[in-house]
């Protein structure tokens, strides 16, 4: 038996060596232009012999564009966080290139119902966006792009000429350059001359955080809708520049699988997606099946994957008049790996990806008219749906936080949504919106479907199993007041001129200079960034722990708890330097600063009260490394680094165990295992006065390891232990108990320092875990909790919802001289959950002020 295995092993190894020749991949039905460089001429190895690095991938795309300018034009979309170029090839016939802008403009008319009837679809090409490897450690797509680029540039004959005449191809060789570079470096540095196939080998087990993510450890395939990251924003501009008919998204799955292409699970299609979309997806799937049959590759459809969350690359096109196609190839992870289906070679995975690129293009050419007609009909039907919708639009805006309002408007306009200003004060559904700080989004526009998915709540579902989150209502995520507007209220809202988010002002402004003190609102989103900047420059800053009223410019003004007070005379910096520092934070962060001429308040605490507490500069460490949830840690890193400009030390457990922890006054832990962490050292640090901020599963970890004494609610089982149930129902029953992601409304004690800056008593938080803390027996130690009806949007089982009811969302523990801030859910989810930012930054700046034992706020 061993001899047979070794023989097979030798055959596969030999086959793998042969596979690196282009003949293994390319169709032999065409000839190839010898003037076009082959991949190996530029990247210095055969396709699939090594994993292509991003720099060499770009070099090849440049070479192809230079060698075939009549077919290929290369565009620079932008740069990643690590300053790698994001390139896009536009590939079509020479004739089409000569009138490329005319074709683009004609194509865009299909999404304008008022003009789409004038488009002659008989004579315009279909537009197909081919995208690769948004997860950097799923590299067969990006490596297949070498073959696709070569084929499309070098192939000769009627077959390729006919294809390029009828198709404009937007060709993105790497959706995630930073992740691809990270992974290719890892797997190449562990490749042996004699390929090792053992799945336990280091080649197949990359170190934390792995190459899946971008620089900040984000999954970019969840970012198409919020478009938080530069990679997504760069790509989105080109998507909307062309509005393609088809977008392909080449991924990898577990090594023991085969190959998946859509349609996905029928019952898990988002209800906003029209049925025609799935019909066209199925028609295109016939071409994938035929092409994979031709090369003998196994595949499956309508299983495992779904079309529900519109933040994914294969689903996002579905609400933009296009068809998104997910491809999932079993991953070799390295160069050659043992699997349940035998040895899986890297070249084989590349061949399947390349083959389905060809099948997509062939299907697009054959179905060209139907896809173009569908795009025109999609937008016409959207306008009809908008006219019939009882909701005519949405109003939103936060008068006390223009920055957060602007960030939300930025999101809308990235998605081509038109926004109008609301000029006068108006009440909608009992909620007051103030003119000048409120904005209106009409549903009567071509992005009707996009607007619906951004604003609507969802509580009813056809299925109870989901591949990703089930709720993402964006105004709730941003923590913004908003309401739907019916036909009867549109006239009262009286929307005005269109708004450009780029010209929207944040708060900002300093009316006059003061010789006494300055007051900074804590309600603005960027106030923590401004505070850190001032503290870092040794400015003395105090925070009000109670509200007060003061005369400002001859008028009485109310200041909320959390307001920052900067005395002028007690500073170690000069008055001139202080003025300069304040001007800097006003300009950079848009915070509002008032000049106080007296310390005597009209109502509430005076400026000299002990209820103003001195703030210290946070020195923050974030525990990272093996066992830690990389995306949760990345969300915090991104928030602190990109939005708040607060440096964070990344500590892996092994470094933590030998580090001098007196360097830090704040340590943050997200969900993770932490098996190697010195728990006693952590507890001692907290007892000595440190602030430990815990999120999600780290909350239960701390209790299990004796750092806190929090108790947790037990989840009821969905099935009685004595019941006998058919085996084929197991997946549905157990799957329904998972927590893919829901939105909950937490009741907040607005007098608690952790709630400073909030103006609404109900705070929307995102939950995707099974951490259900019981409320603390201490009446002051549960500043955020869930009531009897906490669900705002999303799917959750009855058993999980029962556990959430009347549970704690946030608990504060006093441990010796320190504090533990337990946040059971994710206040920073995917970096668009800006409504939780204030809670999280309050924990960092104000956590040490809370006396959980007595309910008092600690003084100086």
């Amino acid at each position: 038996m061993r001899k047979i295995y070794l023989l097979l092993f030798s055959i596969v190894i030999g086959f793998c060596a042969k596979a690196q020749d282009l003949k293994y991949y390319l169709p032999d039905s065409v000839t190839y232009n010898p003037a076009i460089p082959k991949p190996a001429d530029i990247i210095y190895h055969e396709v699939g012999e090594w994993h292509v690095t991003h720099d060499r991938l770009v070099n090849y795309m440049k070479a192809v564009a230079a060698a075939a300018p009549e077919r290929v034009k290369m565009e620079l979309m932008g740069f990643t966080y690590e300053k790698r170029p994001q390139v896009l090839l536009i590939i079509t016939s020479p004739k089409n290139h000569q009138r490329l802008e005319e074709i683009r403009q004609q194509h865009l008319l299909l999404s304008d119902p008022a003009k789409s009837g004038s488009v002659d679809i008989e004579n315009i090409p279909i537009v197909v966006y081919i995208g690769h490897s948004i997860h950097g450690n799923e590299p067969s797509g990006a490596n297949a792009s070498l073959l696709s680029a070569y084929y499309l540039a070098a192939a000769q004959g009627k077959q390729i000429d006919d294809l390029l005449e009828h198709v404009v191809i937007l060709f993105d060789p790497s959706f995630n350059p930073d992740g691809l570079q990270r992974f290719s470096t890892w797997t190449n540095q562990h490749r042996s001359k004699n390929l090792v196939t053992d799945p336990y080998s280091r080649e197949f087990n990359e170190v934390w955080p792995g190459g899946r993510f971008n620089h900040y450890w984000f999954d970019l395939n969840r970012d198409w809708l919020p478009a938080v990251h530069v990679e997504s924003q760069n790509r989105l501009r080109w998507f909307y520049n062309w509005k393609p008919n088809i977008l392909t998204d080449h991924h990898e799955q577990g090594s023991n699988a085969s190959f998946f292409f859509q349609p996905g699970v029928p019952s898990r299609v988002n209800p906003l997606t029209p049925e025609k979309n799935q019909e066209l997806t199925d028609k295109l799937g016939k071409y994938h099946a035929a092409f994979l049959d031709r090369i003998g590759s196994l595949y499956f459809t309508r299983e495992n994957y779904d079309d529900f969350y519109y933040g994914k690359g294969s689903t996002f096109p579905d609400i933009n008049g296009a068809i998104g196609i997910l491809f999932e190839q079993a991953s070799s992870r390295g160069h050659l790996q043992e699997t349940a289906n035998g040895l899986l070679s890297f070249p084989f995975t590349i061949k399947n990806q390349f083959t389905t690129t060809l099948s997509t293009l062939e299907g697009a050419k054959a179905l060209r008219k139907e896809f173009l007609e569908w795009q025109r009909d999609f937008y016409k039907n959207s306008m009809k749906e908008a006219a019939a919708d009882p909701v005519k639009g949405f109003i939103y805006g936060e008068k006390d936080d223009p920055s957060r309002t602007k960030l939300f408007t930025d999101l809308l306009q990235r998605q081509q949504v038109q926004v109008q200003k609301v000029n006068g004060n108006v009440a909608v559904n009992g909620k007051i919106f103030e003119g000048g700080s409120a904005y209106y989004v009409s549903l009567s526009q071509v992005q009707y479907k996009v607007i619906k998915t951004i604003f609507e709540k969802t509580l009813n579902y056809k299925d109870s199993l989901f591949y990703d989150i089930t709720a993402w209502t964006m105004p709730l995520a941003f923590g913004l007041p908003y309401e739907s507007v019916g036909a009867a209220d549109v006239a009262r809202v009286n929307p005005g001129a269109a708004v450009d988010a780029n010209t929207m002002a944040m708060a900002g402004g300093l009316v006059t200079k003061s010789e006494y003190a300055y007051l900074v609102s804590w309600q603005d989103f960027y106030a923590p960034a401004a505070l850190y900047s001032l503290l870092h420059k040794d400015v003395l800053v105090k925070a009000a722990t109670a509200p007060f009223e003061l005369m400002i410019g001859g008028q009485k003004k109310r200041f909320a708890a959390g307001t920052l007070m900067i005395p002028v005379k007690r500073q170690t910096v000069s008055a001139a330097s202080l003025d300069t520092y304040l001007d800097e934070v006003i300009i950079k962060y848009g915070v509002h600063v008032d000049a106080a001429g007296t310390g005597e308040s009209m109502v509430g605490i005076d400026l000299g009260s002990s209820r103003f507490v001195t703030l210290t500069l946070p020195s923050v460490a974030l525990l990272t490394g093996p066992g830690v949830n990389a995306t949760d840690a990345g969300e915090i890193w991104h928030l602190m680094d990109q939005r708040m400009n607060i440096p964070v030390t990344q500590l892996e457990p092994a470094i933590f165990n030998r580090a001098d922890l007196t360097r830090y006054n704040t340590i943050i832990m997200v969900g993770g295992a932490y098996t190697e962490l010195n728990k006693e050292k952590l507890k001692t640090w907290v007892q000595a006065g440190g602030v430990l901020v815990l999120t999600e599963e780290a909350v239960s970890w701390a209790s299990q390891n004796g750092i806190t004494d929090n108790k947790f609610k037990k989840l009821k089982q969905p099935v009685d232990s004595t019941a006998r149930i058919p085996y084929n129902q197991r997946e549905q029953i157990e799957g329904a108990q998972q927590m893919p992601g829901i939105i909950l409304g937490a009741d907040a004690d607005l007098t608690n320092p952790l709630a400073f800056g909030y103006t609404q008593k109900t705070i929307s938080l995102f939950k995707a875990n099974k951490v259900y803390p019981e409320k603390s027996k201490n009446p002051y130690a549960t500043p955020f909790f869930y009531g009897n009806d906490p669900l705002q949007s999303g799917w959750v089982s009855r058993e999980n919802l029962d556990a959430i009811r009347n549970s704690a969302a946030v608990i504060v523990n006093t441990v010796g001289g320190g504090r533990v801030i337990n946040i059971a859910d994710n206040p920073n989810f995917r970096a668009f959950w800006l409504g939780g930012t204030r809670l999280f930054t309050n924990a960092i700046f104000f956590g040490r002020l809370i006396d959980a034992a007595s309910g008092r706020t600690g003084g100086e």
Side-chain angles (χ1 to χ4, degrees), residues 647-662:
V648 174
T649 297
Q650 299 170 22
L651 282 182
E652 293 203 0
I655 304 301
F656 172 94
N657 291 343
R658 67 172 187 264
D660 176 9
L661 297 187
T662 61

Side-chain angles (χ1 to χ4, degrees), residues 135 212 219-226 268 270 304-315 461 463-472 631 735 738-742 766-768 794-795 829-830 832:
H135 297 144
R212 178 183 179 90
D219 186 335
L220 290 176
N221 195 42
R222 305 300 187 268
D223 196 43
W224 285 80
L225 187 63
R268 300 180 207 164
N270 194 296
N304 296 0
Y305 302 96
D306 62 37
D307 279 315
F308 196 82
Y309 173 50
Y310 287 121
K312 296 189 299 182
S314 58
T315 312
Y461 299 84
D463 205 330
S464 58
L465 303 184
F466 298 91
Y467 189 74
D468 202 73
I469 62 175
T470 63
W472 52 90
T631 55
Q738 301 307 308
M739 288 287 290
I742 58 175
F766 187 85
K767 189 171 195 69
W795 158 261
F829 182 67
R830 291 183 182 170
F832 67 78

Side-chain angles (χ1 to χ4, degrees), residues 98-286:
Q98 291 173 7
R99 61 184 193 99
L100 194 63
E101 180 58 18
E102 177 190 343
I103 291 173
R104 187 181 76 86
Q105 293 290 349
Q106 280 187 318
H107 188 78
L108 290 178
L109 290 179
L110 291 173
S111 59
D112 183 350
K115 300 176 181 177
S116 60
S118 66
V119 180
D120 179 12
I121 62 173
E122 294 286 346
N123 296 303
I124 65 168
I126 187 173
V127 179
V128 180
Y129 197 126
I130 306 289
H132 306 86
S133 299
I134 202 163
H135 297 144
N137 63 356
E138 299 175 4
S140 56
N143 283 264
S145 75
L146 296 163
L147 300 167
S148 302
Y150 175 74
Y151 172 80
L152 293 169
Q156 295 175 314
K158 186 177 184 305
Q159 179 180 331
I160 188 68
D161 290 343
D162 188 43
L163 173 69
L164 296 180
E165 184 64 25
H166 292 93
V167 185
V168 172
I169 304 161
L170 307 178
F171 190 82
D172 191 332
S174 173
F175 277 151
N176 180 5
D178 294 347
L180 181 71
Q181 185 73 17
R182 191 182 311 130
F183 181 73
S184 61
T185 301
W186 172 267
T187 192
N188 285 339
Q189 73 184 17
H190 294 96
R191 180 189 188 275
S192 299
K193 180 184 71 172
N194 299 294
L195 298 183
V196 176
T197 64
D198 183 352
Y200 294 114
S201 180
R202 201 161 190 256
E203 178 183 355
F204 309 111
N205 297 280
E206 55 185 323
V207 294
W208 193 95
R212 178 183 179 90
F213 311 117
N214 78 341
H215 176 78
Y216 284 101
W217 314 329
F218 274 76
D219 186 335
L220 290 176
N221 195 42
R222 305 300 187 268
D223 196 43
W224 285 80
L225 187 63
V228 169
H229 297 283
V230 292
E231 298 93 339
S232 304
Q233 293 171 15
N234 294 335
R235 187 188 329 115
L236 208 56
R237 282 193 291 271
W238 281 92
F239 178 92
Y240 281 123
N241 275 347
W242 278 93
K243 292 195 173 180
N245 300 96
I246 299 169
L247 183 144
T248 64
D249 193 12
H250 292 259
H251 285 254
E252 291 183 358
Q253 57 185 323
S255 300
N256 291 323
S258 58
F259 191 93
F260 169 85
F261 57 84
Q262 287 176 312
V265 180
S267 60
R268 300 180 207 164
V269 176
N270 194 296
L272 283 174
T273 299
E275 289 184 11
K276 181 68 174 180
N277 172 285
Q278 295 296 291
E279 291 177 18
L280 287 173
T281 301
D282 189 56
K283 283 189 175 183
L284 194 58
K286 304 300 183 189

Side-chain angles (χ1 to χ4, degrees), residues 409-487:
T409 307
D410 284 335
L411 180 153
L412 292 171
Q413 296 197 334
R414 282 197 294 271
Q415 299 295 351
Q416 307 288 294
V417 173
Q418 297 172 15
V419 180
Q420 295 170 271
K421 195 166 188 177
V422 175
N423 295 314
N425 295 353
V426 62
V428 179
N429 302 330
K431 192 174 291 183
I432 303 295
F433 293 89
E434 293 193 8
S437 62
Y439 299 87
Y440 179 72
V441 176
S442 171
L443 282 175
S444 184
Q445 52 181 298
V446 295
Q447 292 297 80
Y448 167 78
K449 297 274 190 181
V450 174
I451 297 167
K452 290 284 283 187
T453 199
I454 286 174
F455 280 92
E456 74 176 2
K457 300 176 183 178
T458 307
L459 295 169
N460 298 311
Y461 299 84
K462 290 182 179 179
D463 205 330
S464 58
L465 303 184
F466 298 91
Y467 189 74
D468 202 73
I469 62 175
T470 63
W472 52 90
T473 310
M474 292 297 180
L476 293 179
F478 276 68
L480 288 173
Y482 84 107
E483 287 293 332
S484 59
V485 178

Side-chain angles (χ1 to χ4, degrees), residues 772-794:
Y772 308 120
E774 293 181 358
K775 293 178 185 176
S776 173
K777 292 180 179 179
N778 181 331
Y780 310 109
T782 310
F784 293 73
F785 65 92
Y786 297 119
N788 286 319
D789 189 22
L791 183 63
Q792 293 183 318
S793 187

Side-chain angles (χ1 to χ4, degrees), residues 534-554:
L534 294 170
L535 292 174
H536 186 65
K537 292 180 172 70
D538 295 322
V539 174
L540 173 65
V541 183
K542 293 170 171 273
T545 61
F548 60 97
E549 294 180 7
L550 209 64
M551 291 295 291
I552 301 292

